[in-house]
Amino acid sequence: MAASPADLITSLAADPTRSFALIARDGAETVEVLTGPIVDVDLLADIPLTAADGSPQEVLAMVPYRQVVERGFVAHDDGAPLRCLIVDERVRIPSGDVLATLPSEDVPLADAGFDIDDARYAEIVRTVIRDEIGRGEGANFVIRRDYRATVDADPRIAALTWFRALLEHERGAYWTFAIVTPDHVAVGASPEAHVTATSDGSESRVVEMNPISGTFRHPAGGATAETLAAFLRDTKETEELFMVVDEELKMMSAVCSDGGRITGPHLKEMSRLTHTEYVLRGRSQMDPRDILRETMFAPTVTGSPMQNACSVIRRHETAPRGYYSGVAALFTPTGRGHDLDAPILIRTAYIEEGRLRVPAGATLVRHSDPYSEVAETHGKAAGVLGAIGAIPRAMTSVAGVDEDDPGSAPRRLSEDPAIAELLASRNSRLAPFWMEEQSGPSSAPFTGRRALVVDAEDRFTTMLAHQLRHLGLEVDIVNWSDADASAIDAADLVVAGPGPGDPRSEYNERVARLKHIVASRLSSQLAVCLSHQVLAHHLGLTLAPLSAPHQGLQLTVDVFGEDAAIGFYNTFTARVMPGVTALTPSATRTEAGEVEVAASETGDVYALRGSGFASVQGHLESILSRDGLHTLERLINHALA
């Protein structure tokens, strides 16, 4: 072991064959130095948590974005390895000692700039809004571009220099890190813990996810309560955060038996940017590698629904992502397996073949302004580039606080009473079901019944299944392509689920299969969102695109005599003549009998119900559906009557 921190760090910098990681976790006063050999593996299941002799070992895994293929999703394949540092030595060094040891000379850069210019990126934004969100492919998508430069320095020295600069000049990071292997360097200050799984001494682990969304770029001179308050009142920024919370609750419901609770919102205050965030918490007995697989990757850096987001990224990003939007996953042995700590690889600088690359993405939603999204990528890249000294640093933390003074203590704007009130007011719109402990109804109304949920490529089905179980149903989820007649016939209730796409399509195999499922069994059926539209078309109703997509929109609507606040994620709608509340058999193409219609004043259909079936356009399982659980119970009662 090295005799001192200086000796250890000097030896790591001098030996090009050694691999190591420096990690400073949020709130810690030490830097963890991890060293050991490198092993590249193919799959998450191959991450070697046990040594050859069967003993547990600590592993730091760099998981590239292309690993989403393990979930059946698509990605540009750049061959970035799933790289594992097998930790054979861990040293904790006081942060002050590390700062005194690390190099501080400037790292020369040349030929710097974004690979996609501002005008071209703005055009990509317009295209995604028009052709993807505007055609029902999803609610939001993250498209990135890369700031690139030539690095005229030894990559290992550059890594240590930039790590020091981030420790000195960035604030609020979840992990500040440098991960150095012989042919690759990653240095960053990630604000976001994607997923953690921590043993509490029982057979299960406490799982947390930390969706961060909404980006406030500090104005010149620093952020103030007034400028931050204007950001917090912005509809686009608020809905962007709600949408990513919904998407991560889908993941939590897949890995946690209790579905997950949400707390917050909070502020993540950094040197040049402030974000809004929630914390999601649940319990799971899954292997931490399986938890990581089921949560690949964060919607804050991909979009939603996740599967379609990957397809959109491949269509509109011309180059592979490498490790951007993947995770650095630290698996640490405990008495009961391994704990997992996995921050997202964002706000990170990479050195690859002598070139610096700093990826930065913007979340595109229906409200997005192309040049605001251009500015967001500049702001995110600047957060890293300014901290490492690649661009000038400025007074950007809080008004009157200088980034160049490491000893300065910024005032936390979250402590301002007006800001705290604005944050807390957001929760008045959200579903209590996901914010409170779920003790279960005193008498679950559907105990003993079995439901089959058909997944149409939107994992809202996992949240929906969790609510169905809460109401007493035994639930199986089946992919649309695997929903055979015997499984459908055996279920007491068939729930045809939501999904992306155009319900009018005559060529989409998934939509065609949904049409068959919905038409083959109208009795004891509930249809949701896309499947609701398919059912409406089967009943003879017209389908049409909305004038503006309802992606992540909360509406209070009349659902058969009761007002309900419901979250909508639709681009298309079924439509009737204004004032129509019922369809007679002669008005439909089926023998469904009379069908009740719940619709807006303009004829947009929110819900349908007939003999033995019901459907709803909105997502009753969404956090935006304040009255979702009650409405779900009402519709199931009707379908099973």
Side-chain angles (χ1 to χ4, degrees):
M1 179 182 295
S4 69
D7 290 340
L8 173 59
I9 291 173
T10 299
S11 67
L12 293 174
D15 187 349
T17 67
R18 295 190 70 183
S19 298
F20 65 91
L22 307 180
I23 301 171
R25 305 198 212 198
D26 188 20
E29 297 180 353
T30 61
V31 172
E32 301 164 62
V33 183
L34 313 180
T35 59
I38 289 293
V39 175
D40 292 344
V41 299
D42 293 329
L43 303 172
L44 291 175
D46 299 331
I47 295 174
L49 301 187
T50 56
D53 63 2
S55 61
Q57 58 188 9
E58 187 169 30
V59 179
L60 174 63
M62 288 281 287
V63 183
Y65 172 74
R66 75 182 187 98
Q67 219 63 35
V68 295
V69 298
E70 286 198 45
R71 292 186 58 189
F73 304 164
V74 298
H76 291 298
D77 189 357
D78 54 357
L82 202 178
R83 176 152 292 178
C84 300
L85 172 68
I86 312 300
V87 180
D88 60 15
E89 184 177 9
R90 168 196 285 275
V91 179
R92 294 180 185 272
I93 304 174
S95 299
D97 292 347
V98 173
L99 286 170
T101 302
L102 294 171
S104 59
E105 296 79 10
D106 288 341
V107 176
L109 301 177
D111 304 320
F114 279 103
D115 60 340
I116 299 172
D117 65 31
D118 289 357
R120 174 61 185 141
Y121 187 79
E123 184 56 34
I124 292 172
V125 172
R126 293 187 191 95
T127 301
V128 170
I129 295 170
R130 181 188 67 239
D131 295 348
E132 306 292 0
I133 297 173
R135 295 179 182 176
E137 296 301 320
N140 58 88
F141 302 111
V142 179
I143 304 299
R144 112 299 173 180
R145 58 178 179 159
D146 297 340
Y147 185 94
R148 294 180 177 270
T150 300
V151 181
D152 187 15
D154 181 295
R156 303 170 81 84
I157 300 301
L160 294 174
T161 302
W162 292 343
F163 179 72
R164 174 190 178 128
L166 288 170
L167 284 181
E168 287 186 314
H169 299 292
E170 185 55 280
R171 297 183 174 91
Y174 179 70
W175 269 28
T176 302
F177 60 90
I179 301 172
V180 179
T181 60
D183 59 352
H184 191 271
V185 164
V187 187
S190 176
E192 189 167 352
H194 174 50
V195 62
T196 65
T198 308
S199 174
D200 63 355
S202 68
E203 294 300 320
S204 61
R205 293 178 176 82
V206 177
V207 177
E208 289 190 356
M209 299 184 75
N210 176 210
I212 294 176
S213 193
T215 301
F216 172 53
R217 299 181 296 278
H218 297 178
T224 64
E226 291 74 20
T227 56
L228 179 58
F231 160 78
L232 292 175
R233 294 189 184 100
D234 187 274
T235 299
K236 182 259 185 187
E237 301 293 350
T238 302
E239 292 183 353
E240 184 178 308
L241 179 60
F242 289 160
M243 283 190 277
V244 297
V245 171
D246 258 339
E247 193 68 19
E248 294 207 359
L249 270 174
K250 299 175 187 180
M251 298 175 178
M252 290 290 288
S253 294
V255 301
C256 296
S257 57
D258 58 355
R261 304 271 63 69
I262 68 174
T263 59
H266 313 287
L267 290 183
K268 174 69 71 172
E269 299 179 61
M270 304 189 74
S271 62
R272 292 171 179 262
L273 305 170
T274 294
H275 305 282
T276 46
E277 65 178 358
Y278 279 91
V279 175
L280 284 52
R281 183 178 293 109
R283 302 188 68 83
S284 178
Q285 293 186 337
M286 294 174 66
D287 182 294
R289 290 169 294 191
D290 295 331
I291 291 173
L292 185 55
R293 181 187 303 105
E294 288 300 312
T295 60
M296 289 197 301
F297 284 113
T300 52
V301 284
T302 53
S304 63
M306 180 67 194
Q307 183 167 349
N308 236 34
C310 292
S311 298
V312 170
I313 288 168
R314 191 170 71 167
R315 283 197 288 272
H316 296 280
E317 291 186 357
T318 57
R321 288 191 161 197
Y323 292 97
Y324 170 71
S325 73
V327 297
L330 182 62
F331 297 87
T332 303
T334 67
R336 295 177 178 269
H338 285 73
D339 285 351
L340 168 66
D341 189 3
I344 303 175
L345 289 170
I346 52 175
R347 314 298 157 77
T348 300
Y350 302 95
I351 301 179
E352 301 156 338
E353 298 180 347
R355 294 278 292 172
L356 166 71
R357 185 171 71 95
V358 178
T363 301
L364 313 184
V365 299
R366 59 192 173 91
H367 293 305
S368 286
D369 172 75
Y371 282 98
S372 292
E373 304 301 356
V374 167
E376 182 163 324
T377 62
H378 278 283
K380 288 177 176 176
V384 177
L385 297 167
I388 67 177
I391 62 174
R393 301 187 182 106
M395 293 176 62
T396 52
S397 297
V398 182
V401 177
D402 190 345
E403 244 187 88
D404 278 323
D405 178 7
S408 62
R411 174 172 58 90
R412 292 178 59 84
L413 292 176
S414 57
E415 296 171 358
D416 184 287
I419 296 298
E421 183 178 351
L422 269 175
L423 283 170
S425 68
R426 290 184 170 191
N427 289 345
S428 64
R429 298 176 58 189
L430 304 186
F433 179 82
W434 297 109
M435 304 188 70
E436 300 169 354
E437 291 297 326
Q438 296 172 9
S439 57
S442 56
S443 178
F446 307 119
T447 299
R449 305 287 189 95
R450 179 172 290 278
L452 181 73
V453 179
V454 179
D455 186 339
E457 296 184 7
D458 188 334
R459 296 189 83 193
F460 261 129
T461 50
T462 61
M463 294 170 66
L464 184 56
H466 181 65
Q467 288 194 327
L468 294 172
R469 294 185 185 105
H470 183 80
L471 294 173
L473 288 149
E474 297 180 42
V475 182
D476 295 312
I477 301 176
V478 63
N479 185 271
W480 62 269
S481 60
D482 299 323
D484 59 33
S486 60
I488 291 171
D489 291 342
D492 296 308
L493 175 71
V494 172
V495 180
D502 187 338
R504 304 167 301 176
S505 174
E506 298 180 1
Y507 307 104
N508 185 293
E509 184 181 359
R510 175 169 46 86
V511 172
R513 181 61 183 156
L514 283 179
K515 290 177 179 179
H516 175 76
I517 291 170
V518 165
S520 65
R521 176 175 162 171
L522 277 181
S523 62
S524 302
Q525 180 190 130
L526 174 66
V528 179
C529 197
L530 177 66
S531 294
H532 155 84
Q533 296 163 4
V534 168
L535 172 64
H537 184 262
H538 177 69
L539 295 174
L541 276 63
T542 298
L543 300 178
L546 292 162
S547 57
H550 287 175
Q551 298 290 351
L553 180 67
Q554 184 186 67
L555 298 173
T556 297
V557 299
D558 183 328
V559 181
F560 306 120
E562 290 189 19
D563 285 345
I566 295 174
F568 288 80
Y569 283 84
N570 61 304
T571 299
F572 296 89
T573 185
R575 194 162 281 158
V576 294
M577 292 292 293
V580 169
T581 59
L583 302 170
T584 63
S586 61
T588 70
R589 294 197 297 256
T590 72
E591 298 301 320
E594 184 172 276
V595 178
E596 293 180 81
V597 178
S600 70
E601 292 180 355
T602 58
D604 292 348
V605 178
Y606 297 138
L608 298 165
R609 65 182 183 184
S611 178
F613 67 88
S615 71
V616 61
Q617 177 62 76
H619 286 263
L620 304 180
E621 67 281 7
S622 166
I623 62 166
L624 289 169
S625 291
R626 201 172 62 234
D627 302 307
L629 187 66
H630 173 66
T631 306
L632 179 64
E633 183 177 344
R634 288 181 63 212
L635 295 179
I636 293 173
N637 257 324
H638 178 88
L640 292 177

